[in-house]
Amino acid sequence: MIKILTTLSALLIMTSCSDGSNSGATENPQTTTEPRPTELTTPSPGNVSTTTPGFNSDRNAYFGDLHVHTMYSFDAFIFGTTSSPNDAYTFAKGGTLKHPAGFDMKLDVPLDFYGVSDHAFYLGVLREMANPESEISKHEVAEGMSTLGDSADRGSKFSRILQFIRSERANEINDSNIVKSAWQDIIQSANRHNDPGNFTTFVAYEYTTTANDGGNLHRNVIFRDDNVPDLPFSRLDSRNPEDLWQWMDRNRAAGIESLAIPHNSNGSNGNMFMLTDWSGNPLDSAYANQRMRNEPLIEITQVKGTSDTHPALSPNDEWADFEIMPFMVATQLASQPEGSYVREAYLNGIALQEKQGFNPYKFGVIGSSDTHNATYAGDEDDYWSKVGLRDSDGVKRGSVPLEEPRDGGELYADTYYNTWSASGLAGVWAEENTREAIFDAFRRKETFGTSGPRIKARFFAGYDLPQVSDPELTSKAYSGGVAMGSDLLADGNRAPSFIAWVARDPNSAPLQRVQIIKGWVENGEPQEAVYDVACSDGGVVDPVSNRCPDNGANVNLADCRISSNLGAAELKASWQDPDYDATQNAFYYLRAMENPSCRWSTWDAIRAGVEPRSDLAATIQERVWSSPIWITPVQ
Amino acid sequence: MFWFCLIGCFLFAADSLLFVSRNEIYVSTAIRERLGLLWETQTGTAASSNELDSLVKNWIEEEVLFQEALRLGLDQEDSIVRRRLIQKLNFIAESEPIAAPETAILKDFYSSNLQAYTLPRRYSLRQLYFEAKPGADNALASIDAGENAAGFGESSMLNSSYAYRSALDVNATFGPGFADLLQDFPTNSWQGPLKSSFGYHLLFITDIHEQEATPFRAISDQVLKDYRQYKQATARQSYLDELLLDYEILVEEK
């Protein structure tokens, strides 16, 4: 029997699935017309332009993500991401987005700033290939792009594009009209969501280049405002990062200001911090100046692992083995640690400074996610990783056993996703939440990175710093010293003081310890040391081992509950280097750890009702890294 | 709209100009002209007569194969053909340019999305931080006895004042649940202490800014941007809605 369902069409209207740019974002446009009161704030003298309500001359911590891919990135599109830049910004402001696997993604606390940074090469092209109406869909490499299937199918099509980009024919599909229209949408979406005082967006993109051995040399290019070039400079223009810097220099001369932030040095196979240039020549001061002019920051942590240091490089740092992603990016080939990690680069930088008078590796740090789902993923207990349908659940990312063991009896999927992290948040100290104030903070390297939580870290050095109990600690530290990211000129033989100060994320675990990591050059050899400087729970640093006593905090692996009543809300210390030598080049940076908590893979296992995988860390200590302060020695 | 015309023309052409019947393919001058035009758009130069002959020859071959495939019913029950046709219409619907709307339409859009243009309740406050409760209690007693609050409070990374903070902002700053404590908190005097993820706080709420909608005239630029975004995102749905009016859906019951 056939029955006419008059209500069915209405039902269809309500439930029709969306695709393309309509990916289910919950809109929450912010207004820009809030009155601007000034009675509670203290604008700096001379600053006559209007400030936003949160203006603070002692600077506020703002948190964001500068590494976000949307449907315009070739790989994100293949992985199933249909979220647009507009959706990405809506998410960062607190909206809900649908993951391609069907679940909702939402932040507990919205972010303060966000920058969509899609791959410049093939920008928007894969999405257009999936449009059977388009010319580009007729290209042989586009075959099957409109019918992306399961994870394996997507994996093989991703590999096909990767091969094509490395071929001589790579330019054939980089249709500049498609790229331009995607770029315009990226700029417009950023402008639409930029809301001075409340939420800042940056026009950005990723320059995705590789060394000849496939080592990762990726950088994100962040523009100060919406005065940007017609087209982004991509690896199709040149694979040599020095050409990117030339382009940025030329833009700067024309009034277009930007900076580039390298990432995944860990997967560079020693290429990111080489001691030679692209052509193999020794570095010189022109190289150092140009690199530092264009790359004042580095992404120290992200989903594809942390690049602070490696156990092989820092054997005496008990916390060096943290979220190490040991492979070259998008392979299972080992990446050589030497030349791939931040601390070693700092050391080589000051060694060059001492020997030759220039330092190409004097950068600050941020974290960011590198999400390819348009959505920052930094919560261990609410993790969706970053490559769409390829790693959307515990089985696919190797934290939960397969239904049937693989050949050879392996219980888990054959993947490198288990080495990835719920990580990567950028922190800045800026007067207010605007493009100008935050970009200026990037420039002066007053930045820090965290492994996900919103831990705030202050770090000062100087010869006239206040007591840490001083109620005006911040303003006096600014006036009597220098902040993270700066240089401090040695003052005779006097040892400078440091203030290391960290506040917990009120929505994450409390703090366990604060450390200062020192690097210096002694008799031409780079050296490093880790000093605990503040301990939670009344602990006192042992003057011989330079370590806090164990505070005894632990994790119940049955349900991920953490120790209650252990750990600190804030830790701060005034510190002097017991081995200070005014003749040495040195750098100091802050690192602070939370009490241990469950890693995302443990959360996955518990929710699936299985044992956590024994060869993965069950718990981690979330942490924050500051940009260093460099000491310029007495001549 | 241009695309709809093209499609319409194509259908019209298929009906009248091609004059397709069994084993007969009619190449009208309109077809020849269309192929020539397409060549010119793609290459930038007009097709020579040889090129045009070759284009027509290709078209005839493709048309034969196409007609044969249709005759064999290969378009039926083929999920790839079905999906490509659906996609084709979706892309057409989504790429239609969005005209600047009348102010009345924008105002309607503003009214029906008023929630998005409404600021939540916000607080402006001063705060003093204490690691332990007795410190906070003692300070409050002294302040109540007339001492200047500026002399109290322990150093903390929290600011001494916050302006225009929503409940979400308050929780992000002080920890989960803290905003709930402010719901019925007295204003214009030092009160507390309240416990947070950091410790204890004395608070002086200087202002409560009640939830308010931003007037249309002050935000019309943003409304226009949002309207365009909305129209683009919903173009496919609107198109489908229109089509559905012409369809009666019959579902066979089990």
Side-chain angles (χ1 to χ4, degrees):
Chain A
M1 177 183 165
I2 290 176
K3 185 180 169 191
I4 299 174
L5 294 182
T6 48
T7 54
L8 188 68
S9 59
L11 196 69
L12 270 176
I13 291 166
M14 288 190 296
T15 58
S16 292
C17 72
S18 55
D19 63 11
S21 61
N22 177 18
S23 58
T26 307
E27 289 288 302
N28 182 20
Q30 303 272 316
T31 65
T32 52
T33 55
E34 184 167 317
R36 307 291 189 209
T38 48
E39 73 277 7
L40 283 169
T41 59
T42 47
S44 58
N47 184 355
V48 288
S49 66
T50 54
T51 57
T52 57
F55 187 97
N56 175 3
S57 56
D58 285 340
R59 294 174 184 148
N60 299 314
Y62 295 109
F63 292 103
D65 189 346
L66 295 174
H67 197 169
V68 175
H69 293 272
T70 72
M71 65 184 187
Y72 289 133
S73 286
F74 77 102
D75 46 359
F77 186 84
I78 294 177
F79 302 151
T81 292
T82 55
S83 291
S84 64
N86 180 66
D87 297 332
Y89 290 121
T90 302
F91 167 85
K93 288 172 15 179
T96 304
L97 278 198
K98 273 263 184 273
H99 189 281
F103 54 86
D104 282 343
M105 302 181 285
K106 188 180 192 319
L107 290 170
D108 293 338
V109 179
L111 290 168
D112 301 313
F113 62 93
Y114 216 50
V116 166
S117 56
D118 281 308
H119 296 290
F121 77 85
Y122 302 166
L123 188 73
V125 167
L126 269 288
R127 183 165 177 270
E128 199 61 23
M129 280 181 174
N131 170 6
E133 184 75 5
S134 71
E135 269 310 301
I136 200 86
S137 69
K138 319 280 193 290
H139 192 281
E140 64 188 63
V141 84
E143 202 258 311
M145 290 302 175
S146 62
T147 53
L148 292 162
D150 61 9
S151 187
D153 180 52
R154 287 166 195 269
S156 74
K157 286 168 182 168
F158 170 60
S159 303
R160 190 206 300 166
I161 298 291
L162 277 192
Q163 273 169 22
F164 196 76
I165 187 71
R166 288 171 186 153
S167 77
E168 287 184 357
R169 301 174 54 196
N171 270 304
E172 282 177 17
I173 57 170
N174 201 49
D175 184 322
S176 65
N177 286 328
I178 299 172
V179 174
K180 205 171 276 182
S181 114
W183 183 232
Q184 281 307 314
D185 185 41
I186 287 165
I187 298 163
Q188 278 165 19
S189 297
N191 282 345
R192 178 184 167 218
H193 288 278
N194 191 51
D195 182 8
N198 295 311
F199 181 74
T200 293
T201 64
F202 288 101
V203 180
Y205 76 91
E206 182 176 325
Y207 169 71
T208 311
T209 191
T210 42
N212 290 330
D213 63 2
N216 172 81
L217 290 174
H218 301 182
R219 277 92 177 144
N220 286 320
V221 180
I222 316 290
F223 293 92
R224 187 172 197 264
D225 46 40
D226 62 359
N227 180 18
V228 303
D230 288 344
L231 283 172
F233 184 93
S234 84
R235 63 173 288 144
L236 295 168
D237 297 299
S238 168
R239 274 178 47 226
N240 177 354
E242 294 154 28
D243 291 337
L244 170 72
W245 305 335
Q246 297 282 19
W247 179 78
M248 293 169 71
D249 280 346
R250 279 200 307 277
N251 285 338
R252 191 169 294 117
I256 298 173
E257 172 59 18
S258 63
L259 51 82
I261 307 177
H263 66 86
N264 280 118
S265 57
N266 57 346
S268 76
N269 200 32
N271 285 284
M272 191 65 86
F273 307 124
M274 279 184 128
L275 297 177
T276 52
D277 68 11
W278 181 260
S279 317
N281 302 313
L283 303 183
D284 59 19
S285 65
Y287 177 96
N289 288 340
Q290 188 177 45
R291 183 159 179 162
M292 286 302 91
R293 181 166 64 244
N294 289 297
E295 301 194 340
L297 299 176
I298 196 135
E299 194 180 286
I300 195 173
T301 183
Q302 65 138 271
V303 171
K304 288 197 300 297
T306 289
S307 303
D308 174 20
T309 191
H310 187 282
L313 300 172
S314 303
N316 296 322
D317 179 350
E318 308 93 297
W319 290 269
D321 190 6
F322 177 76
E323 295 298 302
I324 296 294
M325 193 286 291
F327 306 121
M328 287 168 67
V329 167
T331 73
Q332 297 197 40
L333 306 169
S335 172
Q336 166 197 311
E338 291 80 12
S340 299
Y341 285 83
V342 167
R343 191 184 302 172
E344 189 206 33
Y346 288 153
L347 285 166
N348 288 334
I350 58 169
L352 280 169
Q353 179 78 53
E354 179 156 309
K355 275 182 225 147
Q356 302 187 52
F358 60 83
N359 183 349
Y361 297 129
K362 202 172 187 179
F363 41 73
V365 298
I366 59 153
S368 273
S369 73
D370 200 3
T371 177
H372 282 56
N373 299 328
T375 53
Y376 167 75
D379 282 353
E380 304 293 330
D381 65 351
D382 192 11
Y383 180 61
W384 44 73
S385 198
K386 78 170 181 101
V387 288
L389 294 167
R390 302 201 67 203
D391 60 356
S392 48
D393 60 48
V395 172
K396 289 181 187 166
R397 50 188 180 242
S399 55
V400 170
L402 297 158
E403 275 186 36
E404 295 287 328
R406 287 191 280 127
D407 298 342
E410 287 292 325
L411 296 179
Y412 296 94
D414 177 21
T415 175
Y416 44 75
Y417 301 137
N418 56 55
T419 67
W420 288 9
S421 311
S423 184
L425 190 65
V428 301
W429 290 104
E431 289 83 357
E432 56 183 341
N433 189 353
T434 62
R435 279 179 174 169
E436 297 75 17
I438 293 176
F439 194 91
D440 289 349
F442 295 157
R443 268 275 159 225
R444 65 175 182 271
K445 301 180 270 199
E446 198 175 352
T447 58
F448 53 99
T450 92
S451 58
R454 292 168 209 210
I455 307 168
K456 296 177 185 171
R458 295 266 203 192
F459 190 46
F460 296 96
Y463 294 95
D464 189 20
L465 293 179
Q467 300 286 318
V468 290
S469 57
D470 194 309
E472 291 168 61
L473 176 56
T474 312
S475 57
K476 287 182 180 170
Y478 273 118
S479 58
V482 299
M484 56 176 71
S486 307
D487 296 286
L488 182 70
L489 204 61
D491 179 9
N493 286 324
R494 287 172 69 201
S497 294
F498 291 86
I499 288 173
W501 183 12
V502 181
R504 69 175 290 185
D505 177 348
N507 293 287
S508 185
L511 302 170
Q512 188 192 63
R513 72 184 74 212
V514 178
Q515 304 178 315
I516 290 178
I517 292 164
K518 177 194 180 187
W520 72 100
V521 182
E522 194 168 309
N523 304 325
E525 287 302 309
Q527 310 282 339
E528 61 177 90
V530 177
Y531 298 90
D532 286 4
V533 298
C535 318
S536 69
D537 307 294
V540 176
V541 180
D542 180 318
V544 177
S545 67
N546 293 311
R547 290 290 174 269
C548 291
D550 184 358
N551 74 342
N554 56 28
V555 182
N556 182 337
L557 290 181
D559 57 11
C560 286
R561 265 183 307 137
I562 61 173
S563 305
S564 56
N565 299 319
L566 285 177
E570 282 199 12
L571 288 172
K572 61 188 161 192
S574 180
W575 182 79
Q576 281 191 310
D577 177 359
D579 302 310
Y580 180 74
D581 181 340
T583 65
Q584 288 169 350
N585 271 285
F587 65 83
Y588 298 83
Y589 68 92
L590 174 154
R591 185 174 69 184
M593 258 75 73
E594 286 186 356
N595 279 342
S597 52
C598 274
R599 190 174 187 262
W600 64 265
S601 44
T602 307
W603 280 108
D604 276 359
I606 287 174
R607 286 176 181 145
V610 299
E611 285 290 310
R613 184 167 166 175
S614 60
D615 59 348
L616 297 179
T619 65
I620 67 170
Q621 285 188 273
E622 303 275 15
R623 61 195 63 193
V624 59
W625 302 264
S626 79
S627 294
I629 293 172
W630 288 266
I631 309 287
T632 307
V634 183
Q635 293 305 317
Chain B
M1 225 44 212
F2 170 73
W3 285 107
F4 290 106
C5 287
L6 257 197
I7 290 259
C9 294
F10 183 74
L11 293 178
F12 178 70
D15 254 10
S16 55
L17 294 177
L18 289 181
F19 202 64
V20 176
S21 66
R22 178 177 292 270
N23 297 334
E24 178 181 302
I25 286 177
Y26 176 60
V27 185
S28 66
T29 49
I31 287 289
R32 265 184 94 85
E33 278 165 19
R34 191 164 63 81
L35 290 170
L37 197 64
L38 203 61
W39 173 269
E40 200 174 330
T41 346
Q42 282 170 1
T43 64
T45 55
S48 67
S49 120
N50 277 348
E51 280 164 344
L52 203 54
D53 286 347
S54 155
L55 288 173
V56 170
K57 183 168 167 285
N58 280 343
W59 184 85
I60 292 171
E61 283 174 9
E62 282 184 6
E63 190 60 21
V64 168
L65 291 171
F66 178 60
Q67 294 300 337
E68 190 62 11
L70 287 184
R71 198 182 64 78
L72 293 172
L74 295 186
D75 57 326
Q76 307 295 315
E77 302 290 322
D78 184 319
S79 59
I80 291 178
V81 170
R82 183 170 188 272
R83 168 129 188 93
R84 285 178 78 95
L85 289 175
I86 291 167
Q87 268 184 341
K88 201 165 170 171
L89 264 190
N90 279 342
F91 277 111
I92 289 165
E94 284 170 10
S95 58
E96 196 184 357
I98 296 149
E102 305 272 337
T103 308
I105 292 175
L106 270 193
K107 279 187 174 164
D108 276 355
F109 181 80
Y110 165 82
S111 303
S112 43
N113 292 285
L114 198 58
Q115 188 62 38
Y117 305 110
T118 300
L119 293 165
R121 183 182 226 232
R122 287 143 296 143
Y123 302 90
S124 291
L125 56 88
R126 298 197 169 94
Q127 70 93 27
L128 297 171
Y129 167 76
F130 302 86
E131 192 175 351
K133 188 164 181 294
D137 288 334
N138 292 340
L140 185 61
S142 304
I143 293 166
D144 283 346
E147 289 192 49
N148 187 347
F152 295 94
E154 298 163 16
S155 106
S156 125
M157 215 181 276
L158 295 165
N159 293 357
S160 55
S161 67
Y162 293 95
Y164 289 89
R165 312 310 289 172
S166 68
L168 206 59
D169 298 330
V170 166
N171 285 340
T173 306
F174 294 93
F178 200 81
D180 293 344
L181 305 177
L182 302 189
Q183 274 291 343
D184 302 307
F185 206 74
T187 58
N188 286 312
S189 62
W190 284 101
Q191 299 284 338
L194 294 182
K195 191 173 182 337
S196 77
S197 299
F198 294 95
Y200 295 84
H201 308 264
L202 297 182
L203 294 192
F204 189 110
I205 296 188
T206 56
D207 255 316
I208 294 178
H209 319 274
E210 291 302 342
Q211 170 179 317
E212 60 174 340
T214 309
F216 174 77
R217 61 186 150 69
I219 202 172
S220 56
D221 283 359
Q222 186 69 36
V223 175
L224 176 60
K225 288 183 201 164
D226 294 344
Y227 175 81
R228 285 181 189 272
Q229 174 65 33
Y230 167 80
K231 289 305 279 185
Q232 202 178 338
T234 54
R236 173 186 176 278
Q237 193 60 54
S238 319
Y239 180 56
L240 186 59
D241 293 351
E242 248 173 65
L243 291 183
L244 279 169
L245 295 177
D246 296 336
Y247 284 80
E248 205 172 346
I249 313 292
L250 311 172
V251 176
E252 187 178 5
E253 286 203 334
K254 278 183 184 172

